[in-house]
Amino acid sequence: MSIVKFFTSKVFFKQLALAIIALVILCFVILKWLNITTNHNEFVVVPDLKGKSLATVEIELNDNDLKMEIQDSANFNPKYPKYAVIEQNPVAGAKVKENRKIYLILNPSDYRKVAVPNILNRTFRQAKPTLEALEFNVGEITYKDAIGEGVMSMSYKDKPLKPGTLLPLTSKIDLVVGNGKL
């Protein structure tokens, strides 16, 4: 039998029809199986976790069949309690599948500590931006009679402060500055 006669025979068309029917049935079965195993069109709404404690968050996520993953804490935010959630991903209200990980960023216990820069003998005009760039606040400024107009000493909560001392961000640093009059 030649190839042309085989491709035009009844046997070839019967086999082709059976193969197409088998392929359609196989695709239908696979699609139904995927719908069942992936919970097609079944979602869980992510709750709003911002400002809540870790214990509360854990209970709420377990109730919604979600998992949590804590990421590195961000900068301290005084608007939220210590160790409360300040960011979450996916955001509140998003629709996700059950057992999805919700990534959380917690509020640390306090501001991170930064070394106080050496601003001694610098003018106040140089010292103030240096402190503010590191997110320190300039507290009380006391002027004393001195030859130069530089920063003579620094203090934090009425205690002398040396350059390199670690202080939390936004700390108020009091300065004693020479007025250039002797």
Side-chain angles (χ1 to χ4, degrees), residues 113-126:
K113 295 194 176 195
V114 176
V116 175
N118 186 2
I119 56 169
L120 298 175
N121 299 323
R122 290 192 184 171
T123 65
F124 180 70
R125 281 181 67 178
Q126 293 172 324

Side-chain angles (χ1 to χ4, degrees), residues 74-77 82-83 107-113 156 168-170:
N75 289 332
F76 180 71
N77 187 339
K82 293 178 182 180
Y83 307 114
N107 199 22
S109 61
D110 202 359
Y111 287 106
R112 65 183 169 92
K113 295 194 176 195
Y156 174 67
L169 290 177
T170 72

Side-chain angles (χ1 to χ4, degrees), residues 12 30 79 81 88 95 108 112 142 177 180:
F12 174 74
I30 289 174
K79 295 177 185 174
Q88 70 182 65
K95 292 180 181 179
R112 65 183 169 92
T142 308
V177 181

Side-chain angles (χ1 to χ4, degrees), residues 22-37:
L23 187 64
V24 168
I25 291 172
L26 181 65
C27 287
F28 179 76
V29 169
I30 289 174
L31 288 174
K32 281 296 177 189
W33 176 75
L34 282 173
N35 279 344
I36 292 168
T37 58

Side-chain angles (χ1 to χ4, degrees), residues 4 17 30 59 71 82 88 95 101-102 113 125 134 142 157 161 174 178 180:
V4 174
I30 289 174
I59 292 169
Q71 294 185 324
K82 293 178 182 180
Q88 70 182 65
K95 292 180 181 179
K101 283 184 184 175
I102 307 299
K113 295 194 176 195
R125 281 181 67 178
L134 293 172
T142 308
K157 294 185 177 179
L161 186 62
D174 300 326

Side-chain angles (χ1 to χ4, degrees), residues 35-47 60-68 90 94-102:
N35 279 344
I36 292 168
T37 58
T38 62
N39 298 329
H40 187 64
N41 284 335
E42 293 180 25
F43 298 103
V44 176
V45 177
V46 177
E60 216 169 310
L61 290 179
N62 284 337
D63 290 346
N64 289 308
D65 294 323
L66 297 170
K67 298 184 184 327
M68 77 172 153
K95 292 180 181 179
V96 297
K97 297 285 186 181
E98 64 183 22
N99 292 321
R100 166 79 191 270
K101 283 184 184 175
I102 307 299

Side-chain angles (χ1 to χ4, degrees), residues 11-26:
V11 174
F12 174 74
F13 284 114
K14 279 184 183 178
Q15 295 298 320
L16 184 64
L18 286 175
I20 290 173
I21 290 170
L23 187 64
V24 168
I25 291 172
L26 181 65

